[in-house]
Amino acid sequence: MKYVILFLTDLLDPKAPDFEYIKEYQAAKKYFPVGLIDQQQLFEKNTVALNCPITQDTVYIYRGWMLKPGLYAKLVNFIQSRGGKMLNDLAEYEATHLLPNWATAGQNQLKTRWTSDLSDTSIRHLFQQFSGAVTIKDFVKSRKYEWDEAFYIPATSDTAHALRVVHNFIERQGTELVGGLVMREFIELKSLGEHPKSHTPIFEEYRVFYLNNVLLMIINYWTEEKITLSPKDKKLIQLAGKQISSNFCTIDFARKANGQLIIMEMGDGQVSGLQDYDEDAFYELLWENLD
């Protein structure tokens, strides 16, 4: 089976890869054929235009900015209509990209509730299902770098303040808001201090890539320190990936203050960042483990 990695073009130079993905593009070329998707055409005109032909018996893997499901569907349809195949079809993309598709009440996940109704009545109903502190996001993204203004709510019982934070979030997301509003319990995590630029709290977290439900790599999310995990941690991480209806995905794990590892987020592997992980190492692993 042949695999091709697709990147977005740069907005200022449609013949070059997106500036933010140049290192990945150069690393990927060492192991795979690569192609470019016209970013301006995709985001401004909702049309797919590639600089390479689509061939049969070829699997295409996208690496780039998050795509709303409707836009990803256009990419899938474009590839399939010409005889190719995306590594993740639309259902597999949505399985981890949209939080309601993966969030459960399991032991290793946070209490989570959501609504597509953004009226104050619906939002107040969410408040009533929690006690204490919560965080908010849409079905895909949060604004955690705006911690106090549009992400963290110290007490859902303080309805006036809580609504103000939610309204800030909705307004600032604007047309980028996906799906609706998600509310999650806030738990104490093992602190690593503050982010050097945003000064928001950072915690012990790991991003894990899975390929065909098998662990591919573990990234230390915030630091470059060597990763040391207990046998219990490793078992949790390995088993978590086996239950996901996706060929290529990520799970973000965080360490609770009591030492327990917990699932914080899931995402599609095509749109999950490498968090400063070595690009060459990533694509070598991907090349070695495909098929």
Side-chain angles (χ1 to χ4, degrees), residues 183-252:
M183 196 165 294
R184 312 182 77 190
E185 66 173 321
F186 179 79
I187 58 173
E188 291 296 327
L189 299 175
K190 183 179 178 182
S191 175
L192 297 180
E194 289 186 347
H195 190 276
K197 295 182 179 179
S198 66
H199 302 293
T200 54
I202 58 175
F203 308 98
E204 182 181 332
E205 295 183 67
Y206 304 97
R207 171 158 291 171
V208 183
F209 279 81
Y210 299 88
L211 180 65
N212 297 322
N213 301 109
V214 177
L215 190 156
L216 180 69
M217 55 183 283
I218 303 176
I219 297 173
N220 207 334
Y221 199 95
W222 295 115
T223 75
E224 296 181 356
E225 295 181 6
K226 182 179 179 181
I227 296 174
T228 303
L229 297 169
S230 70
K232 183 178 180 180
D233 292 339
K234 293 177 181 178
K235 183 177 180 180
L236 168 65
I237 289 172
Q238 289 172 346
L239 290 178
K242 296 183 181 300
Q243 303 169 26
I244 305 172
S245 300
S246 169
N247 297 315
F248 188 39
C249 65
T250 58
I251 301 179
D252 291 347

Side-chain angles (χ1 to χ4, degrees), residues 38 45 83 92 126 144 161 206 231 265 285:
D38 190 305
K45 298 183 180 180
E92 290 159 345
L126 285 185
K144 63 183 177 183
H161 176 73
Y206 304 97
E265 299 287 349
L285 274 172

